Amino acid sequence: MFRALHALDDRLLLAVNHARGPALDAVMTFASNRLVWFPFYALLIGWLVWHFRRRALLLLPLVVTAVALADSITSRLFKPFFARLRPCHNPALEAQLYLPDGCGGQYGFMSSHAANGFALAVFLLLTLPAGRYRALKIGVFLWASLLSYSRIYLGAHFPTDVLGGALIGAGLGWGAAVLFRRSTGPQGRWEALGN
């Protein structure tokens, strides 16, 4: 069964990596670039501070902690522990891959990009007032999904690397949202924080 899962992982990776084109190369390289998504996160934090003012004093430390933990756990704990080669470093696959953005570090399980994106998305989904900010909530999930897909497209991660990272990130985002709700009352009421 484990061998079958690896074979499926390889097939899915190659299918996504080979469905390429110049426009997709540009989009996926753009999405994966840390110089792009760090400013995106900074703009989002600025918007949260401007829009929620005093409420952001509780919101921001929790979301930053969730994303930072997602990044640290996947990069510093899981990658060295599992030591699973990235597809672009895997001798059985590297010659078959198209690498428009180079290769990256040696190990790939789990994807930090996916973990970071889904920690943010799940946290905002669960903490922002229900029925409001729908565009923002959808936008961060689309961003996390594009970021995750780009890692497979670029040959930097297997699909299971991305899935594992997304699950870790979602779990940390959920945990931070639980802390937020406990700090603001049983229903996570925004009114408890004032403006």
Side-chain angles (χ1 to χ4, degrees):
M1 181 177 156
F2 201 60
R3 191 171 293 174
L5 180 61
H6 270 293
L8 178 61
D9 220 14
D10 291 352
R11 284 196 304 274
L12 288 172
L13 164 74
L14 291 171
V16 171
N17 180 253
H18 291 173
R20 63 182 186 254
L24 276 175
D25 289 356
V27 169
M28 298 305 165
T29 302
F30 177 85
S32 276
N33 189 332
R34 289 178 188 255
L35 296 177
V36 169
W37 51 268
F38 278 150
F40 166 77
Y41 290 156
L43 284 172
L44 179 60
I45 287 170
W47 180 84
L48 289 169
V49 168
W50 174 80
H51 196 75
F52 295 113
R53 293 174 178 70
R54 282 181 43 202
R55 292 179 252 192
L57 293 176
L58 177 60
L59 189 74
L60 287 179
L62 288 171
V63 71
V64 168
T65 299
V67 172
L69 279 174
D71 192 67
S72 294
I73 289 169
T74 52
S75 294
R76 296 185 181 158
L77 182 64
F78 283 105
K79 285 178 184 173
F81 179 79
F82 288 102
R84 182 185 190 190
L85 293 174
R86 289 181 187 266
C88 52
H89 288 299
N90 186 319
L93 291 171
E94 59 187 346
Q96 302 174 61
L97 291 172
Y98 173 66
L99 303 173
D101 195 35
C103 189
Q106 188 174 13
Y107 302 127
F109 186 79
M110 301 174 172
S111 168
S112 300
H113 284 73
N116 298 344
F118 279 97
L120 175 69
V122 169
F123 178 81
L124 292 179
L125 174 71
L126 297 176
T127 57
L128 292 180
R132 296 176 62 197
Y133 310 107
R134 176 180 247 165
L136 176 62
K137 292 172 186 177
I138 291 170
V140 292
F141 268 95
L142 290 174
W143 174 254
S145 299
L146 174 64
L147 195 56
S148 298
Y149 184 84
S150 75
R151 305 308 292 157
I152 303 167
Y153 178 93
L154 295 171
H157 286 288
F158 288 100
T160 52
D161 298 344
V162 168
L163 178 61
L167 290 173
I168 289 289
L172 288 165
W174 173 83
V178 168
L179 288 174
F180 178 82
R181 286 184 183 148
R182 287 186 179 163
S183 300
T184 58
Q187 302 300 320
R189 291 186 308 271
W190 279 85
E191 310 86 62
L193 294 174
N195 261 331

